[in-house]
Amino acid sequence: MTPEDGRIIPAEAQANASRVKQKVIDCDVHHALRSGRDLLPYMATRWHAHLEEFGRRRPVPFIASSPYPKTAPALSRTDSWPPNGGPPGSDLAFLQEQLLDRYNIEYGMLHLLMSGMDERNQDFGNATCSAINDWQYENWTQKDQRLKAAIVVPGEDPPAAVREIARWAGNPDFAQVSMVTHAIEPLGRRRYWPIYEAAQAHNLPIGLHSSGNNGHAVTGTGWCGFYVEEQHNVALSQQQLAISLVCEGVFERFPKLKAVIIEAGYVWVPSVAWRLDQHYKRMHREMPHLTRKPSDYFRSHLWYSSQPADEPERPEDLRTVLDWIGWDRLLFSTDYPHWDMDNPEQAFKLRLSEAEQKMIYNENARAVYGLA
Amino acid sequence: MSQPAAHIAQGIAQGIAGGIDCDVHPAIPGMAALLPYLDPYWQEQVAVRGIDGLDLSSFPPQMAAHGRADWRDKGEKPGTSLARLRADALDGFGTQLAICNPLYGVLAIYNEHFAAALARAINAWLAAEWLDRESRLRGSITVATQNPELAVDEIERCATDPRFVQVLLLNQGDTPLGNRRFWPIYAAAERHGLSIGIHAGSIFRHATTSNGWPSYHLEDYAAHAQSFQSNLLSLVHEGAFTRHPGLIFVMIESGFTWLPTFLWRANKTWRGVRAEVPWVDRPPSEYIRDHVRFTLQPTDAPPTGADMARLLAMIGRDNMLLFSTDYPHWQFDGDNVWPDGFSNALKRRVLRDNPMNAYPRLKEALQ
């Protein structure tokens, strides 16, 4: 069989890929601010004036656009703009209708694609993170108990991040701690460890959704030309993020810490782990802080959200890859309302058993996040 | 040649003999060795300013991984001795031809005139000190991509020597390699039947990851896989493959077990966003399977041969891998150059057929 043959999905697989049988835990739902002003009620008046005069200061070229224009306005499905106005994801009722009710979502894990962590004015960044958390709590999680927020922390100021974690830890509306992934240093580096210490102490996983801006080139060899590259390169960065957490020894120092890599796919995990194991044989003396081979940490401390669903040329290859990764590591996600959202009814071009569906759509996430 | 030792005979039995080794590393001892090949102006500049030590810090010679213990002489930079390369890499594996990839800091130099002079010196040094002395060796052309015009001049100069079979670029430079800036280099290579080799290594112009600078060598080395993938995306989407349909790109010391899952994602992203790059009129996997080859070592292998066989089936073509030892780098022990899971038929293709097809100039040598 050649790879070309695999492009045709057998009718049998199509027929069986249809309905999801149990309730879904969606590990990547994007709510949104109607505008930056939504945060003002949660910020000291000093910052109202600041926002008016100076605005946000991040290491990006444009005030209100990406240097890699996306494939759709607001990165979103064209039908996801709420009828009552505001950007996609900003209207709770419409999000309930289009996502939570439509797809039998038991829990939706919220990820705001905005943070104070990559704000260069650190006090403003800290205030922004706190305001985001207050806003999420009052307007989202308190209004629909299916929604679980992430504690957005200003990771470049670890003491402030630890204070923010302490402010929300124990509140069942918050299921994880969230940092931008394009931080100033790779997130395994020691400056971020106080955050991991606090997360572990409060039994909160770290949720790492591709996000943020740090001024570094989008690849190890410079800036690419197109969004079609950048979208993929951001996922490659997430691979390097996992490498950083493993190699810098985060899971040795914090053995109960869990990290979830979000919106990077997952089929890359085996080859990254094999590569680390292979070269660890030659370079392990550089890193005596590791007591196990790198792949072991992938198996015990890292989880991956599913979207965008990887599509092997031969659908059955996905089974091989999931056997390599471990079926307990994969968490279903839609990425609603973004243009490349995965529909839980059609995300896998592979016939999954009922038990496999149960793990991927529900039980794995329930275990990671300790959901009731 | 004398009678092969027992381990060599064993290597021949394993189907290693007669191979074309697509990645061996003669090492440049230092600037003193290149001085005879620099023009008088640069000879004086190098002497007066004390310019030396341009080995890339992305892969320091003293690391164990840079020189296998049994391929290393105490106090010597691994790869500096032709006698050892002959005994270890050529006789050792019964190799028929080996392609030399000297790595030195040309691409990291800001002064593009000096970079071009140094590239020229390295090519002259390789021809005189290695290719002239050992007929089984072939060369890669070092170019200063800082200035494509000067790089093309150097390609034109070297192309008259049929022993040069490819143009050598570095994986982590300052710009993804599909960028139009590099196209004159690709056009010159295509014109002369040279392939383009992209070798692992960094000039540290950018952080090795877009998340910033990692702490450890292992992280940097691992990160090359992602940068190779970034370069392939760049070559596809900028249209370099469309523009140069006859050109083969060889990923050297890149690993290849990441290839199938990378292709799946590249195809999916292209399907969603292809309106942005209308000149890319086929899925990225097709361009890459047609135009891109990978050297064998290092093989970042799965745990068992059965897993490797599954992975090779996912790659789906038996013409993409090229035999390499990566001499003197330490990627495997003894003669164990073949990962588990390769069939004998595949080994034969990897050993000779695939390199012959990847490097048009080798065909002439073996006819």
Side-chain angles (χ1 to χ4, degrees):
Chain A
M1 192 177 184
T2 70
E4 283 70 22
D5 298 328
R7 295 228 181 80
I8 301 156
I9 299 157
E12 189 193 18
Q14 277 180 331
N16 283 288
S18 58
R19 293 285 147 179
V20 177
K21 300 220 166 55
Q22 70 289 305
K23 289 182 176 175
V24 171
I25 298 177
D26 180 351
C27 289
D28 187 17
V29 177
H30 293 295
H31 56 336
L33 300 163
R34 281 168 301 171
S35 86
R37 292 174 188 283
D38 284 0
L39 295 180
L40 293 180
Y42 310 101
M43 300 176 99
T45 47
R46 178 240 190 282
W47 297 119
H48 298 205
H50 179 89
L51 190 63
E52 287 295 326
E53 184 177 358
F54 300 104
R56 298 168 72 199
R57 270 170 55 73
R58 294 172 302 141
V60 292
F62 302 128
I63 294 168
S65 178
S66 165
Y68 297 105
K70 310 306 177 195
T71 200
L75 194 61
S76 293
R77 282 166 44 174
T78 50
D79 66 349
S80 67
W81 292 78
N84 298 325
S90 64
D91 182 314
L92 174 62
F94 195 53
L95 184 142
Q96 288 166 329
E97 178 193 322
Q98 265 199 327
L99 178 72
L100 302 181
D101 301 339
R102 166 71 181 79
Y103 294 113
N104 196 16
I105 306 282
E106 183 180 9
Y107 291 110
M109 316 306 287
L110 294 172
H111 289 283
L112 190 71
L113 276 194
M114 178 210 167
S115 171
M117 182 166 162
D118 57 355
E119 163 63 45
R120 289 159 69 189
N121 178 324
Q122 215 156 48
D123 288 330
F124 183 47
N126 295 354
T128 301
C129 288
S130 293
I132 287 170
N133 292 327
D134 286 315
W135 170 83
Q136 299 189 97
Y137 180 70
E138 276 190 24
N139 297 282
W140 295 87
T141 61
Q142 278 296 292
K143 290 188 173 166
D144 190 325
Q145 288 291 302
R146 289 173 292 186
L147 296 173
K148 298 288 177 191
I151 305 171
V152 174
V153 299
E156 307 297 357
D157 183 354
V162 169
R163 286 195 298 275
E164 193 62 25
I165 292 171
R167 197 157 78 89
W168 299 102
N171 185 325
D173 286 17
F174 287 84
Q176 60 194 322
V177 172
S178 161
M179 285 194 280
V180 304
T181 54
H182 286 108
I184 289 175
E185 294 183 27
L187 284 177
R189 294 264 296 174
R190 228 163 274 170
R191 64 184 308 218
Y192 304 107
W193 286 16
I195 299 165
Y196 304 136
E197 185 176 22
Q200 179 180 261
H202 295 295
N203 199 25
L204 289 162
I206 303 286
L208 298 168
H209 188 293
S210 317
S211 60
N213 299 277
N214 56 11
H216 286 296
V218 75
T219 84
T221 185
W223 297 93
C224 61
F226 302 100
Y227 172 55
V228 66
E229 296 171 76
E230 189 247 7
Q231 207 214 17
H232 193 155
N233 279 319
V234 164
L236 296 175
S237 302
Q238 292 282 79
Q239 301 179 15
Q240 294 169 328
L241 181 67
I243 291 169
S244 174
L245 294 172
V246 167
C247 289
E248 306 270 348
V250 170
F251 301 121
E252 275 295 328
R253 180 63 172 267
F254 307 106
K256 290 182 179 159
L257 188 69
K258 305 170 189 173
V260 184
I261 306 289
I262 300 164
E263 202 173 341
Y266 52 92
V267 295
W268 49 270
V269 173
S271 70
V272 166
W274 300 334
R275 184 168 173 85
L276 288 174
D277 282 359
Q278 168 71 14
H279 300 285
Y280 179 69
K281 288 183 212 160
R282 321 278 181 242
M283 303 183 193
H284 64 91
R285 283 182 301 280
E286 190 192 18
M287 36 209 332
H289 51 277
L290 298 188
T291 59
R292 296 185 280 157
K293 62 181 194 294
S295 61
D296 286 356
Y297 301 97
F298 281 80
R299 268 317 264 263
S300 53
H301 289 86
L302 288 165
W303 284 262
Y304 318 93
S305 75
S306 61
Q307 184 275 344
D310 286 295
E311 296 178 28
E313 292 161 300
R314 307 180 306 176
E316 278 298 318
D317 284 340
L318 193 64
R319 177 167 300 284
T320 303
V321 172
L322 277 165
D323 286 342
W324 285 333
I325 299 170
W327 289 78
D328 59 329
R329 317 315 291 174
L330 183 61
L331 314 178
F332 178 76
S333 61
T334 63
D335 194 32
Y336 175 87
H338 292 162
W339 70 270
D340 51 349
M341 167 185 175
D342 280 334
N343 176 340
E345 293 164 359
Q346 296 167 6
F348 296 95
K349 307 264 185 291
L350 168 75
R351 188 181 359 170
L352 300 172
S353 73
E354 212 161 307
E356 289 161 352
Q357 289 196 23
K358 222 171 183 173
M359 289 177 81
I360 292 170
Y361 284 107
N362 194 295
E363 286 176 352
N364 292 344
R366 188 180 299 277
V368 174
Y369 292 115
L371 297 166
Chain B
M1 203 189 302
S2 57
Q3 277 299 103
H7 77 282
I8 300 170
Q10 191 193 346
I12 292 168
Q14 286 172 342
I16 295 172
I20 297 171
D21 187 341
C22 296
D23 189 26
V24 300
H25 295 290
I28 290 152
M31 288 302 287
L34 297 178
L35 271 185
Y37 305 100
L38 287 165
D39 64 35
Y41 171 77
W42 283 111
Q43 283 176 347
E44 188 191 338
Q45 286 283 303
V46 164
V48 168
R49 298 165 73 180
I51 300 171
D52 200 2
L54 302 185
D55 286 299
L56 290 169
S57 51
S58 68
F59 202 44
Q62 70 269 24
M63 276 173 69
H66 199 121
R68 232 170 83 164
D70 58 336
W71 289 343
R72 184 191 274 275
D73 290 317
K74 207 170 161 56
E76 295 284 324
K77 198 189 281 186
T80 45
S81 158
L82 173 60
R84 290 231 50 176
L85 184 140
R86 215 177 245 149
D88 299 334
L90 302 180
D91 298 344
F93 292 93
T95 292
Q96 183 171 13
L97 292 174
I99 300 172
C100 297
N101 295 320
L103 300 173
Y104 207 50
V106 170
L107 292 178
I109 295 166
Y110 288 101
N111 177 337
E112 62 190 39
H113 307 285
F114 179 42
L118 196 60
R120 186 180 172 126
I122 289 170
N123 295 326
W125 167 85
L126 183 66
E129 315 240 346
W130 296 79
L131 308 186
D132 284 355
R133 294 179 184 175
E134 171 52 65
S135 63
R136 286 171 289 181
L137 295 180
R138 291 294 177 274
S140 294
I141 303 170
T142 296
V143 292
T145 56
Q146 291 92 327
N147 182 324
E149 206 179 316
L150 295 177
V152 168
D153 288 349
E154 184 60 15
I155 293 170
E156 295 291 346
R157 197 183 68 79
C158 293
T160 57
D161 181 344
R163 299 172 302 178
F164 283 104
V165 300
Q166 77 181 337
V167 175
L168 186 62
L169 306 179
L170 206 61
N171 186 38
Q172 291 180 341
D174 60 2
T175 306
L177 289 169
N179 191 281
R180 288 183 83 103
R181 186 184 114 194
F182 301 108
W183 290 12
I185 294 170
Y186 302 153
E190 191 176 28
R191 203 158 55 235
H192 292 291
L194 295 156
S195 300
I196 300 289
I198 302 175
H199 195 287
S202 179
I203 61 171
F204 286 177
R205 187 71 45 87
H206 300 288
T208 51
T209 85
S210 68
N211 308 318
W213 297 93
S215 305
Y216 303 106
H217 274 293
L218 178 62
E219 294 173 86
D220 276 353
Y221 196 80
H224 273 295
Q226 285 79 36
S227 289
F228 274 105
Q229 292 168 64
S230 298
N231 275 323
L232 288 177
L233 291 172
S234 174
L235 288 162
V236 168
H237 293 301
E238 298 273 1
F241 294 134
T242 319
R243 181 63 169 259
H244 304 287
L247 202 54
I248 294 290
F249 287 74
V250 182
M251 307 295 117
I252 309 172
E253 204 180 324
S254 57
F256 62 86
T257 55
W258 47 260
L259 177 63
T261 55
F262 162 74
L263 294 179
W264 303 344
R265 171 54 79 91
N267 282 359
K268 175 159 176 156
T269 308
W270 170 78
R271 281 201 299 276
V273 193
R274 65 181 188 267
E276 187 187 26
V277 284
W279 48 87
V280 181
D281 55 9
R282 295 187 290 152
S285 64
E286 291 189 20
Y287 290 102
I288 290 168
R289 286 193 172 105
D290 286 352
H291 290 272
V292 181
R293 303 292 177 258
F294 298 84
T295 61
L296 179 67
Q297 291 291 346
T299 303
D300 305 322
T304 71
D307 291 322
M308 177 60 89
R310 284 185 200 104
L311 188 101
L312 291 169
M314 293 176 194
I315 290 175
R317 294 271 177 93
D318 60 5
N319 64 348
M320 296 188 76
L321 301 179
L322 313 182
F323 180 70
S324 73
T325 59
D326 195 20
Y327 177 88
H329 298 167
W330 180 18
Q331 304 292 11
F332 57 92
D333 293 310
D335 294 333
N336 201 19
V337 64
W338 293 109
D340 291 342
F342 277 50
S343 69
N344 284 335
L346 179 61
K347 285 180 188 175
R348 278 194 296 275
R349 293 214 55 143
V350 172
L351 202 59
R352 289 182 59 86
D353 304 353
N354 296 348
M356 294 272 279
N357 290 324
Y359 293 105
R361 287 187 159 210
L362 290 182
K363 276 187 185 150
E364 292 163 26
L366 292 177
Q367 266 165 5

